[in-house]
Amino acid sequence: MTRRLIRVAIIAVALLITALAVPDIEVEWADDAAGIGITLLILALVFGFINAFIRPIARLVSIPLNIATLGLFSVVLNGALLLLVAFVVDVAFGPLIVIGGFPPDLSLEAVGAAAVGSFIISVASAALTILIPDA
């Protein structure tokens, strides 16, 4: 149980780093610390849910494209999953995160920002997992 809470906290911190590092990823921050924590918790839980249940299926289906592009399609896939997080959060809780204008406008800018954001989330999550024991 504590291991899962640590993973959620790591994802929340990685999302915070990404929101601060990528200018096209805008998070609707609250005015107080508790509101910011709740926003990060919601984003981390939705991100974790999508990564746990949808990502394995998407990776399995995209194996031929990954082979054809020598693995570069995985960057696009991770970006698409980050856009899915933004869409699910928008539908369920309102626009807490906007990635390059998405939602509602899906553009090349949104896909690019999502790809950069997913890369930063991966790097930050891996670094935090290494730094924090039992994660």
Side-chain angles (χ1 to χ4, degrees), residues 1-12 41 45 134-135:
M1 181 67 175
T2 58
R3 186 174 165 94
R4 288 186 185 172
L5 292 175
I6 291 171
R7 288 297 308 157
V8 169
I10 287 174
I11 292 171
L41 179 65
L45 288 174
D134 298 328

Side-chain angles (χ1 to χ4, degrees), residues 33-48:
I36 292 171
I38 291 171
T39 300
L40 286 173
L41 179 65
I42 290 170
L43 291 174
L45 288 174
V46 172
F47 187 83

Side-chain angles (χ1 to χ4, degrees), residues 25-66:
I25 296 179
E26 302 167 7
V27 175
E28 186 66 35
W29 301 113
D31 293 332
D32 57 342
I36 292 171
I38 291 171
T39 300
L40 286 173
L41 179 65
I42 290 170
L43 291 174
L45 288 174
V46 172
F47 187 83
F49 178 80
I50 287 176
N51 268 344
F53 294 105
I54 297 175
R55 185 172 185 232
I57 297 168
R59 286 189 63 159
L60 183 66
V61 171
S62 69
I63 285 175
L65 284 172
N66 266 329

Side-chain angles (χ1 to χ4, degrees), residues 90-102:
D90 181 56
V91 169
F93 302 102
L96 292 180
I97 185 170
V98 177
I99 303 172
F102 179 81

Side-chain angles (χ1 to χ4, degrees), residues 58-77:
R59 286 189 63 159
L60 183 66
V61 171
S62 69
I63 285 175
L65 284 172
N66 266 329
I67 292 172
T69 62
L70 301 175
L72 291 177
F73 185 73
S74 63
V75 174
V76 175
L77 178 65

